[in-house]
């Protein structure tokens, strides 16, 4: 093919995300070739490109034709299911690729798989990127947040494309080179963990307002709409308001009330919690949100349990405490905001710990910046998170940034009232509880861990340190306790 007719980039995998990202790139003026093993998806994508203004998108039915239609050095985005399908797609496409060409995996992949593929690609002379893509179907079409990590040369080859295709905010496109290795996938994984926490906290706010405050769905829609004009402004708050306004298409009432209370998941939240445990980074809000998804999956067991406890007089909601509705709404708003800060703080600390372990050099402020638009956790206060890390690159925890610390103190009384009301009503708020416990533990200079360490030394001779002198110590606790007990007895 003549160079003038070659596409600038290729994309393989035309499910919802792939098709929409391809159309996004084409709309930005970059000729793109597309391929899918199921050729009907190729035809569908080409049809959409024509219908949406004759976009420069070209479909191919064979992997060889697809590869040869792209100008060198070739850059090919893969958007297929994580795991083995990615390896199969790489094997199919790389047969026709040449040294210097690049593969970009845009799926939610485990970061170690990306690092393995980087080495395998390098052995063939190919470059490789693992690129997190956030924003769902709408984001992929109109501008996602992009998190590419791996080969910097590969990033430079398509930097202009990614910067045009990404969501645009006041301080630039929502894309940056994340770092080497599997850093892009890891950052996207933690992004999803924060997303788990965000969604859980919002659902708890809804639960308290509905069952303690007695608010209707229409009132909830208006409340969330109002919250979205203030410090809680975010994509998730915005869509929650919309959800409460949708009527059931199959009968009377609101659709949200007809949805089965059983949450699905794809694994990134679990990976986040596992990595936090391996790196000894406390992430209780994210872990609580994951536990809640597990518990939601026990729908049949929960229904049986509800009946079993009701036989002994325990209803699902124990009581509706007397509350002033306007005050409750304001308290829940403040509790939700403070809890969200804890969730983001935990995610950022996990990113820092992994960056140190792997030598990735992650820029936490820049990560907050590229999450300001396009992605699921986009929120107005991410700009303030960015500025917090710009003020102090070594900030140990987001909560102790002076601005956030002041806000946490101002909101902690409302936070405690909400958690207390929920406990009184028998409504579980594990995300808010975990966030509050995280805050209370982190702000205390002394914790009861001294007793835990004494127990460990007694039964396992693990030793302990003292607060008043250096060194490690071991005590024969039981022997000394018996001696002291005998001495007290003798005195009596």
């Amino acid at each position: 093919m003549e160079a003038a007719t070659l596409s600038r980039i290729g994309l393989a995998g035309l499910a919802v995300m792939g098709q929409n990202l391809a159309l996004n790139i084409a709309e930005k003026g970059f000729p793109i070739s597309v391929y899918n093993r199921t050729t009907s998806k190729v035809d569908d994508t080409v049809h959409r490109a024509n219908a949406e203004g004759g976009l420069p998108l070209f479909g191919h039915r064979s992997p060889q034709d697809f590869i040869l239609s792209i100008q060198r050095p070739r850059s090919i985005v893969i958007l297929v299911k994580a795991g083995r399908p990615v390896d199969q797609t790489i094997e199919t496409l790389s047969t026709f690729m040449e040294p210097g060409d690049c593969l970009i995996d845009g799926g939610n992949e485990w970061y170690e798989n990306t690092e393995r593929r980087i080495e395998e690609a390098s052995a063939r002379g190919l470059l490789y990127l693992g690129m997190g893509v956030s924003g769902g179907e709408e984001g992929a079409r109109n501008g996602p947040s992009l998190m590419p990590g791996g080969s910097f040369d590969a990033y430079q080859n398509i930097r202009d494309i990614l910067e045009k295709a990404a969501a645009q905010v006041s301080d630039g496109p929502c894309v940056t080179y994340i770092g080497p290795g599997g850093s892009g996938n890891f950052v996207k994984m933690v992004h999803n963990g924060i997303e788990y926490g965000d969604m859980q906290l919002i659902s708890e706010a809804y639960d308290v307002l509905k069952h303690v405050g007695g608010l209707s769905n229409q009132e909830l829609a208006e409340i969330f709409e109002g919250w979205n004009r203030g410090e809680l402004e975010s994509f998730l708050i915005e869509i929650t308001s919309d959800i409460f306004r949708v009527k059931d298409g199959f009968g009377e009432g609101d659709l949200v009330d007809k949805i089965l209370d059983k949450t699905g998941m794809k694994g990134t939240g679990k990976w986040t919690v596992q990595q936090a445990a391996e790196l000894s980074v406390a992430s209780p809000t994210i872990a609580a949100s994951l536990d809640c998804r597990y518990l939601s999956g026990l729908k049949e067991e929960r229904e049986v349990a509800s009946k079993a406890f009701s036989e002994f007089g325990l209803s699902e909601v124990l009581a509706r405490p007397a509350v002033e509705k306007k005050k409750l709404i304001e308290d829940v708003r403040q509790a939700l905001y403070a809890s969200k800060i804890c969730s983001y703080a935990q995610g950022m600390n996990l990113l820092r710990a992994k960056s140190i372990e792997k030598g990735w050099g992650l820029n936490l402020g820049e990560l907050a910046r590229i999450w300001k638009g396009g992605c699921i956790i986009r929120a107005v206060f991410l700009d303030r998170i960015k500025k917090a890390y710009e003020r102090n690159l070594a900030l140990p925890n987001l909560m102790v940034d002076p601005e956030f610390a002041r806000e946490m103190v101002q909101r902690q009384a409302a936070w405690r009232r909400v958690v207390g009301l929920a406990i009184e009503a028998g409504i579980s708020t594990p995300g808010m509880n975990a966030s509050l416990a995280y805050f209370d533990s982190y702000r205390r200079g002394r914790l009861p861990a001294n007793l835990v360490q004494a127990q460990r030394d007694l039964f396992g001779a693990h030793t302990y340190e003292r607060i008043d002198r250096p060194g490690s110590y071991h005590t024969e606790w039981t022997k000394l306790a018996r001696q002291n007990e005998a001495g007290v007895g003798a005195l009596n």
Side-chain angles (χ1 to χ4, degrees), residues 96-401:
F96 308 104
M97 297 175 72
E98 300 175 80
D101 291 349
C102 174
L103 290 161
I104 305 110
D105 176 19
N108 281 331
E109 188 57 88
W110 174 239
Y111 83 98
E112 289 182 338
N113 285 342
T114 295
E115 297 192 331
R116 167 179 60 80
R117 290 172 187 143
I118 287 173
E119 294 182 4
E120 293 171 352
S122 179
R124 297 184 177 189
L126 303 177
L127 307 180
Y128 198 92
L129 284 173
M131 182 173 70
V133 180
S134 179
E137 178 180 354
E138 180 186 351
R141 181 64 184 86
N142 300 310
S145 175
L146 301 171
M147 296 155 255
S151 166
F152 182 71
D153 290 339
Y155 172 70
Q156 290 291 80
N157 287 346
I158 57 169
R159 180 174 181 173
D160 58 334
I161 299 175
L162 299 183
E163 289 183 346
K164 289 288 187 182
Q168 307 294 313
V169 292
S170 60
D171 48 3
C174 292
V175 61
T176 191
Y177 175 69
I178 300 298
S183 58
N185 293 117
F186 193 91
V187 167
K188 176 56 163 58
M189 177 197 76
V190 174
H191 162 286
N192 287 16
I194 294 172
E195 178 185 311
Y196 272 49
D198 245 358
M199 296 172 74
Q200 177 62 30
L201 293 169
I202 291 170
S203 75
E204 292 174 14
Y206 152 67
D207 205 16
V208 171
L209 290 173
K210 180 177 180 179
H211 290 106
V212 176
L215 275 69
S216 68
N217 289 333
Q218 182 58 40
E219 289 175 309
L220 288 166
E222 293 169 2
I223 289 164
F224 276 82
E225 182 181 18
W227 286 355
N228 198 48
R229 292 192 291 267
E231 64 186 9
L232 284 173
E233 180 186 340
S234 65
F235 172 71
L236 286 170
I237 294 293
E238 177 186 355
I239 67 170
T240 301
S241 176
D242 290 339
I243 287 168
F244 289 127
R245 288 191 163 93
V246 177
K247 299 298 180 182
D248 180 18
F250 292 99
E252 296 183 357
D254 300 320
L255 179 57
V256 68
D257 295 326
K258 307 293 178 63
I259 296 174
L260 183 69
D261 52 319
K262 192 172 180 178
T263 307
M265 68 190 86
K266 293 186 177 180
T268 47
K270 181 173 73 173
W271 291 346
T272 303
V273 173
Q274 289 173 333
Q275 281 293 293
E278 289 190 14
L279 292 164
S280 300
V281 175
S283 300
T285 309
I286 300 172
S289 70
L290 183 64
D291 286 341
C292 286
R293 295 200 180 194
Y294 293 150
L295 283 166
S296 78
L298 303 177
K299 174 64 174 175
E300 294 77 13
E301 289 185 34
R302 289 188 288 110
E303 289 179 333
V304 171
S306 178
K307 292 178 182 178
F309 288 116
S310 68
E311 291 179 3
F312 296 95
L314 191 66
S315 59
E316 291 202 3
V317 178
L318 303 184
R320 181 174 290 175
V323 293
E324 198 275 301
K325 188 179 290 188
K326 186 176 180 181
K327 176 64 174 174
L328 176 66
I329 293 168
E330 176 58 18
D331 279 356
V332 171
R333 183 189 68 80
Q334 294 192 40
L336 177 56
Y337 180 80
S339 298
K340 280 166 64 75
I341 295 300
C342 290
S343 184
Y344 280 75
Q346 292 160 29
M348 289 299 187
N349 284 354
L350 177 54
L351 289 171
R352 175 194 290 112
K354 195 66 176 184
S355 180
I356 292 171
E357 180 193 70
K358 301 288 288 186
W360 284 339
L362 297 183
N363 183 329
L364 300 185
E366 181 69 353
L367 296 183
R369 186 194 69 77
I370 68 169
W371 289 344
K372 285 168 56 180
C375 70
I376 302 302
I377 66 170
R378 61 184 183 265
V380 68
F381 77 111
L382 277 161
D383 189 59
R384 298 179 54 230
I385 293 177
K386 180 196 79 167
K387 290 175 180 176
Y389 285 109
E390 288 176 346
R391 285 191 292 270
N392 182 2
L393 291 174
L395 186 66
N397 190 296
L398 193 60
M399 294 189 299
V400 299
D401 170 77

Side-chain angles (χ1 to χ4, degrees), residues 33-61:
S33 294
V34 298
Y35 166 76
N36 196 86
R37 189 173 60 178
T38 304
T39 57
S40 62
K41 291 185 180 293
V42 176
D43 296 337
D44 291 343
T45 308
V46 171
H47 177 75
R48 275 192 66 186
N50 290 332
E52 295 181 20
L55 303 178
L57 182 148
F58 310 99
H60 297 274
R61 292 171 173 267

Side-chain angles (χ1 to χ4, degrees), residues 58-70:
F58 310 99
H60 297 274
R61 292 171 173 267
S62 80
Q64 183 174 21
D65 289 346
F66 168 63
I67 297 298
L68 294 177
S69 72
I70 305 164

